[in-house]
Every structure is written in C-alpha cells, then in structure tokens.
Amino acid sequence: MKLKQLESLLGSLQQFDHPKAENSFGDLCDKVVADFGCGCGTLGLAAGLLGAEHVTGFDIDQESIEIATSNADELDLDIDFVQCDIRNLTLSDRHIDTVVMNPPFGTRKKGADMEFLSVALKVASRAVYSLHKTSTRDHIKRRALREYNASSAEVLCELRFDVPQLYKFHKKKEVDVAVDLWRFVPTSNQGRHL
C-alpha cells in the first residue's frame, strides 16, 4: 500500500467528537504552556493544536528555533520561540501554567534532564509533563519529590523510542530506549517565577 493511500484511508476514519487525552487533567486547553528544549517544536505545537491559550518554545539551538518556527507557520499556529539556555531562564514577567518537555536524557551530560526538571517545577503553576528514561524512574521520582518540591510525581505511561544516530556522540546507528511520560505537580499552585 502506498503512503498516499494509507493517509487517505486513515483520514476517512471516524474520530472522537471530544477526545479525552487532554481532558484528563485540563493542563493544556486555555492554559499558558512552555515547551522547554523545544527542538523542532513538536510538544509545543501539540499543545497549540489542543487549544493552549499561548505557547512559548525555548531552545538553546538557533537552528532548532528556525525549524520550530517554520513548523508553527506550516500549521498556522501563533507560537513564540526563544533561543536561550534553560538553566539561565528568567520569566519574572510571564505566568506559565504548564511546562511540556523532552529534555536531554542526561546520558552525555549527567544530570541534564534534572536541570530541566528543576527549572520547570519552579516556573509551572499547574503541571510539568516530561519524558525521562525508564531506567531512571526511582531516581526521578525521589529527586522531584524531595529536592524539587513537587507535590506529586506520576508516570502516565511507558513508551519506546527508536533514537536514530543524530549526533556525532551517538555511537550506534539506532537505539531502542524505554521512556516514561511523567506528570509532576508543583507544590504550590500559586504562579511562581524565577
């Protein structure tokens, strides 16, 4: 079957009138969302498509910002993208309800994922959704609750990522990685800022 035929068939299938994925917690629709380490913008774009009031993507890499901007334009979404290092982020003038992120897993630079999580829990007033390697599950939960002041840390589902060889430091052509999708709730639901 050709790709065009598959797209046509899938496009004609009946869909939910009211999908429940976003409705489980109400953390995206009509909320202000930040996408940390946004890369090409996938998570932020998804938040925009699910009805976020406003989305801002943050990434250290200028080329990623350019691709994310192009992707947002392609989908006709009004999303802001900011080039910055998350560790130096200052958001004193912005309110953020929810942070979504797929941080570096901390394999190359130990603790990189935890730096992202620490900042996210400081700025989000409602929730943080984050992807982390399943093998680090106990460590992630312990640090989120004890050191980063999360009131809850819950694995929503376990996923499998086929990570292709994208960077020079990737030694294998492709690696299959078990990944957890987490939902963290900051201790205080009062808007907090850095």
Side-chain angles (χ1 to χ4, degrees):
M1 178 177 290
K2 294 188 179 201
L3 184 58
K4 285 280 187 202
Q5 291 172 306
L6 180 62
E7 287 177 11
S8 176
L9 285 171
L10 293 176
S12 66
L13 295 175
Q14 182 177 348
Q15 302 296 317
F16 289 109
D17 290 331
H18 305 286
K20 295 181 183 108
E22 197 287 316
N23 297 336
S24 295
F25 299 103
D27 294 329
L28 297 174
C29 189
D30 298 323
K31 302 296 183 281
V32 177
V33 176
D35 181 356
F36 282 8
C38 66
C40 61
T42 305
L43 296 177
L45 295 170
L49 291 169
L50 287 169
E53 177 185 318
H54 185 76
V55 178
T56 304
F58 299 89
D59 203 286
I60 197 168
D61 180 62
Q62 180 59 38
E63 185 178 356
S64 293
I65 295 292
E66 290 168 9
I67 293 169
T69 301
S70 175
N71 288 340
D73 291 345
E74 182 74 24
L75 294 171
D76 200 27
L77 290 172
D78 184 20
I79 295 179
D80 294 328
F81 293 99
V82 178
Q83 182 183 4
C84 70
D85 185 332
I86 291 298
R87 296 170 299 180
N88 303 325
L89 190 64
T90 56
L91 293 174
S92 57
D93 61 335
R94 297 186 196 205
H95 170 81
I96 304 291
D97 294 305
T98 303
V99 173
V100 294
M101 61 184 188
N102 179 10
F105 288 148
T107 321
R108 182 165 184 238
K109 181 181 180 260
K110 188 175 171 127
D113 56 339
M114 300 312 292
E115 290 175 343
F116 272 69
L117 183 57
S118 173
V119 174
L121 282 165
K122 288 176 185 169
V123 301
S125 64
R126 187 175 182 92
V128 173
Y129 289 86
S130 188
L131 295 159
H132 297 270
K133 286 172 43 177
T134 300
S135 62
T136 63
R137 185 179 289 174
D138 292 339
H139 174 73
I140 299 287
K141 185 169 190 167
R142 185 173 47 255
R143 294 219 30 214
L145 295 172
R146 291 183 187 166
E147 297 177 35
Y148 301 151
N149 235 5
S151 64
S152 72
E154 176 185 7
V155 174
L156 300 179
C157 65
E158 185 177 324
L159 310 162
R160 305 273 329 163
F161 274 14
D162 281 326
V163 181
Q165 186 178 26
L166 296 173
Y167 303 102
K168 290 178 184 176
F169 62 86
H170 286 166
K171 293 177 176 69
K172 297 180 181 175
K173 185 175 180 181
E174 186 174 86
V175 177
D176 182 50
V177 180
V179 177
D180 290 337
L181 171 61
W182 287 85
R183 179 177 186 264
F184 302 94
V185 176
T187 297
S188 170
N189 280 337
Q190 307 303 311
R192 294 179 294 168
H193 306 287
L194 287 177

